[in-house]
Amino acid sequence: SRIQRRLDRMLNSSHDHKLLALVDVEGFVPKEVTVTVKDGKVKVLAEHEEEHTTTRGKVYSYKNITKEISLPPGVSEDEVTYSL
């Protein structure tokens, strides 16, 4: 499948690094995604807020993703890299 090929390509492109996690943040723009590394954990937070004006007034929609991934033993926090 197309998705699997894309995953394979991503995995191959980081062959010298261990891939810790893939987080699907489709529907979010990069500035809505925050990644922090603290206390041996990687936290991914994505928040998206929309405001629509309808005939009945303003309608807000909000969606978010939070994911927390523990670093494997022996991996230091400053070794962690991420890309969107």
Side-chain angles (χ1 to χ4, degrees):
S1 73
R2 201 177 80 239
I3 291 173
Q4 188 56 50
R5 269 205 310 278
R6 199 174 72 219
L7 284 179
D8 288 344
R9 212 167 45 241
M10 286 173 70
L11 293 171
N12 289 340
S13 70
S14 60
H15 62 89
D16 51 340
H17 302 294
K18 296 278 189 291
L19 187 66
L20 187 62
L22 284 172
V23 181
D24 183 1
V25 289
E26 192 176 328
F28 297 91
V29 296
K31 70 175 170 64
E32 295 173 329
V33 181
T34 310
V35 179
T36 54
V37 185
K38 206 174 109 186
D39 303 327
K41 291 185 173 64
V42 179
K43 290 181 186 172
V44 180
L45 172 63
E47 293 181 289
H48 180 76
E49 211 172 295
E50 272 179 40
E51 181 187 305
H52 300 284
T53 306
T54 66
T55 50
R56 292 160 62 190
K58 284 192 190 325
V59 177
Y60 297 93
S61 69
Y62 174 81
K63 63 177 177 173
N64 78 323
I65 295 171
T66 52
K67 199 158 180 94
E68 197 171 275
I69 305 117
S70 294
L71 289 177
V75 175
S76 70
E77 293 175 4
D78 57 7
E79 286 180 272
V80 175
T81 60
Y82 59 91
S83 60
L84 292 171

